[in-house]
Amino acid sequence: MEERVVVTADADEPLMVVFEPMGSVYEVPVGEHLTVVFKGRPGDSGAVDYRSDYVSVCASFSGTMTAWTAAGAEIDLITGCPEATGPATR
């Protein structure tokens, strides 16, 4: 089963998204969003916990998750950094 969740930063401040259990963080810029896709068994795909100052996302024990920025760059869940979207630099 696949489940998509979109988290959006409000118009006033960025939103911190913490990828668990890795602990990496991605900051969603003001007015933009992050799409998280959970894959797993029906009813056991992942969790999204909204806190007062951040959102925590975690795949289920038997599932996986991926995340993309509003521009379509995949987030490296270990580092919290988006993939390079342009030509490779040296």
Side-chain angles (χ1 to χ4, degrees), residues 57-71:
V57 294
C58 182
S60 68
F61 181 70
S62 63
T64 63
M65 73 177 163
T66 53
W68 287 273
T69 67

Side-chain angles (χ1 to χ4, degrees), residues 48-60:
V48 179
D49 292 322
Y50 291 89
R51 309 294 181 166
S52 61
D53 56 346
Y54 72 94
V55 172
S56 172
V57 294
C58 182
S60 68

Side-chain angles (χ1 to χ4, degrees), residues 2-59:
E2 182 176 292
E3 181 180 6
R4 291 180 180 265
V5 176
V6 177
V7 293
T8 304
D10 64 27
D12 296 329
E13 58 185 71
L15 174 67
M16 304 302 287
V17 177
V18 180
F19 300 103
E20 301 292 355
M22 295 72 75
S24 61
V25 177
Y26 175 75
E27 183 177 288
V28 180
V30 170
E32 292 195 17
H33 67 274
L34 181 74
T35 302
V36 180
V37 177
F38 298 107
K39 291 184 181 178
R41 294 186 297 231
D44 189 33
S45 55
V48 179
D49 292 322
Y50 291 89
R51 309 294 181 166
S52 61
D53 56 346
Y54 72 94
V55 172
S56 172
V57 294
C58 182

